[in-house]
Amino acid sequence: MKQLKFLVYGEGPDDYGWKDSTGGWRPGSIIYLLKKCAEEMNVDLEIEYVEKRFIDGKDKVKLAARHLRKVEGKGIPALRFSMYAVKNGYTEGIFYCDTDKVISGNQKEETHCKKYFEKIYSDVTRGLQSVEGTIWRGLPMISLKMIENWLLADKESYRKCFGAEPMNPKLPSKPELIWGEKNNPASDYPKNYLKRVLEQYYQKPDRETYIDIADEISIETLKEKCPISFRRFYEDFAELCKDD
């Protein structure tokens, strides 16, 4: 079995995890998805984590003006992540982020969503590739529009977790494309939608619940239901595993 070691960064505890009271790292929902992908590819995956403070916090990597001329937007923390990884001896890593929302155009229209995703994907990729003169491969892992969209993809994961498929409401047919007003609990804002789905099981949308759902998600279903973002990551990851 092929062995790979990745440094992973995400935007918060709901996605890539958190430090517990003992100082150990508790993996978040995307780590469970990542391990499922690795298992499909017959890869023994070792994962280490970089704390947010080193990438986008008080101890963040300092960038010179020449670095900032190469990157923009989410490419900036992606470059910091790459520089941190290389400095600490890593050769491969995964940078997770959300696109959050489409800046211009219809938030639910597939063409606009694809166009904006490609912009974020390009920014992050440029940041990951802007470390010069070293052996380093960084992969973007980008959710359209946030991690909750991916967690709304597979009705079977809810049946396995909670005993029945969601019915009130059902899961959206195109979970990547849902959107709505953040401050309206009845809207299709992904966090609000997921909260309503979980209410039928008397569950709260917390870190542990996210992990439970992710741990039961079918990767095939996730690729099918989230073709813009998750399928792109899966294909990139498969290519890296094949070429390693």
Side-chain angles (χ1 to χ4, degrees):
M1 179 180 286
K2 183 181 291 186
Q3 294 183 325
L4 291 176
K5 180 179 180 180
F6 279 90
L7 183 68
V8 177
Y9 172 76
E11 295 187 328
D14 287 346
D15 47 68
Y16 87 126
W18 67 98
K19 264 192 171 182
D20 63 21
S21 58
T22 68
W25 193 268
R26 294 285 305 279
S29 53
I30 67 163
I31 306 303
Y32 288 80
L33 300 179
L34 181 56
K35 288 180 177 179
K36 280 174 173 280
C37 293
E39 186 177 345
E40 285 194 5
M41 297 165 197
N42 198 33
V43 168
D44 181 15
L45 198 60
E46 180 182 350
I47 298 175
E48 295 187 6
Y49 306 87
V50 53
E51 291 181 64
K52 190 173 177 65
R53 64 190 175 95
F54 293 114
I55 309 304
D56 204 19
K58 62 179 182 178
D59 299 316
K60 64 187 177 186
V61 175
K62 304 299 182 185
L63 299 179
R66 63 186 175 85
H67 294 133
L68 292 171
R69 286 194 292 269
K70 299 179 181 179
V71 294
E72 63 181 15
K74 292 186 184 261
I76 296 174
L79 176 55
R80 288 197 182 104
F81 169 67
S82 296
M83 293 175 70
Y84 176 94
V86 170
K87 181 180 178 181
N88 288 277
Y90 295 95
T91 59
E92 291 162 330
I94 292 173
F95 179 93
Y96 172 85
C97 68
D98 299 335
T99 62
D100 298 322
K101 63 178 180 177
V102 176
I103 297 300
S104 61
N106 189 321
Q107 301 277 4
K108 299 182 180 182
E109 210 281 319
E110 188 169 354
T111 301
H112 292 153
C113 290
K114 281 183 176 179
K115 183 177 180 180
Y116 187 63
F117 173 82
E118 292 298 336
K119 169 66 168 61
I120 300 297
Y121 181 90
S122 177
D123 288 348
V124 171
T125 300
R126 190 176 299 113
L128 293 172
Q129 294 177 348
S130 292
V131 179
E132 300 171 355
T134 187
I135 299 172
W136 160 252
R137 296 189 298 179
L139 288 184
M141 187 178 191
I142 303 169
S143 178
L144 179 79
K145 307 179 179 75
M146 54 185 65
I147 188 62
E148 285 81 2
N149 295 77
W150 287 358
L151 297 178
L152 287 165
D154 184 10
K155 62 184 180 182
E156 276 296 299
S157 65
Y158 291 82
R159 184 187 62 77
K160 292 175 181 177
C161 286
F162 310 120
E165 294 178 8
M167 298 300 294
N168 187 29
K170 295 182 178 181
L171 298 189
S173 60
K174 295 183 177 182
E176 287 185 301
L177 303 183
I178 65 168
W179 196 252
E181 291 295 327
K182 181 178 181 179
N183 296 325
N184 178 4
S187 79
D188 284 351
Y189 185 71
K191 290 182 185 294
N192 296 345
Y193 199 114
L194 181 57
K195 183 174 185 292
R196 295 199 305 277
V197 169
L198 290 172
E199 282 173 350
Q200 64 193 285
Y201 304 110
Y202 306 99
Q203 300 290 324
K204 294 182 179 180
D206 56 23
R207 299 172 192 173
E208 298 295 344
T209 304
Y210 281 25
I211 288 169
D212 289 343
I213 296 169
D215 196 30
E216 297 292 352
I217 281 180
S218 159
I219 295 299
E220 284 302 312
T221 300
L222 190 50
K223 286 192 294 179
E224 175 189 348
K225 292 290 187 177
C226 298
I228 299 172
S229 58
F230 187 79
R231 186 185 295 165
R232 173 67 70 88
F233 167 74
Y234 183 90
E235 290 171 352
D236 287 347
F237 185 60
E239 192 67 24
L240 186 148
C241 291
K242 182 176 67 176
D243 291 345
D244 193 273

